[in-house]
Amino acid sequence: MNEQTPQQSTTRRWGVEFLLFALCSLVCMSFVFGPAMLNRAIIAPLDLPSALYSKYQWLDEAQGPVPQNHYIVDIFDHELPRQYASYRALRAGEFPWWDPYTEFGRPLVSEAHISGTDPIRLVLYEFLPFVPAYNATKLLDSFLLGLGTFLLLRHFRHRVWFSIAGALCVQFAGGHTLFQTPL
């Protein structure tokens, strides 16, 4: 008979628990970030300018005063341009030390929320076009936040269902979902 050792049983249990968390997380992510997961949209509020600023009405003349998404406006006018500048610099074989066009010049790599040194972002920017890399970075950051919380709760020996629920609550808490900056 093929009996399992206690270590094999524990390893198998952790694997099943991880898969259960990953499945729940991916289902929730598909509801929150569905189009971005399929690269049909970017996780950035590109409809905010035409809804809120009259100078940008030309972007979408059919856009009314209420935007479809409710991400924080700073993603559109602060983070997204800097990420694109970083992406272009890396693709040109340069390192994005400085953004001379914003706020009289600003060091990009010293801004933690722009995260010019995020290893996930750097790897994805090397191999993917901008929109899929930008989305994947944010999706991976969201998943890793939930995974870290799940592992922490399991480390403190909370029940599996509580650990999954707690991790998903942290992963999809308002600020983390709306800001979607590297967490």
Side-chain angles (χ1 to χ4, degrees), residues 1-3 9-10 27 33 36 39 43 54 61 67 70-71 75 85 88 96 102-103 109 112 133 151 159 174 180-181:
M1 191 176 261
N2 191 7
E3 294 183 23
S9 177
T10 302
V27 166
F33 306 116
N39 284 321
I43 302 179
S54 60
E61 294 175 3
H70 298 285
Y71 292 113
I75 293 174
R88 285 192 356 237
T102 308
E103 298 169 2
V109 294
L151 294 174
R159 294 179 186 212
Q180 267 305 301
T181 54

Side-chain angles (χ1 to χ4, degrees), residues 5-28:
T5 65
Q7 184 178 6
Q8 289 173 329
S9 177
T10 302
T11 303
R12 175 175 273 205
R13 180 178 51 85
W14 272 93
V16 169
E17 291 174 5
F18 167 76
L19 288 176
L20 186 59
F21 164 75
L23 180 64
C24 291
S25 177
L26 289 174
V27 166
C28 290

Side-chain angles (χ1 to χ4, degrees), residues 65-87:
V66 179
Q68 287 183 333
N69 66 61
H70 298 285
Y71 292 113
I72 305 303
V73 72
D74 286 353
I75 293 174
F76 164 72
D77 61 3
H78 184 74
E79 182 198 9
L80 192 60
R82 288 180 169 103
Q83 285 303 328
Y84 189 63
S86 295
Y87 175 81

Side-chain angles (χ1 to χ4, degrees), residues 100-117:
Y101 305 107
T102 308
E103 298 169 2
F104 306 109
R106 189 175 188 131
L108 289 175
V109 294
S110 67
E111 294 181 329
H113 59 287
I114 299 302
S115 196
T117 57

Side-chain angles (χ1 to χ4, degrees), residues 45-61:
L46 297 182
D47 61 336
L48 282 179
S50 56
L52 300 179
Y53 309 122
S54 60
K55 288 193 263 184
Y56 288 96
Q57 192 65 40
W58 59 271
L59 285 174
D60 185 1
E61 294 175 3

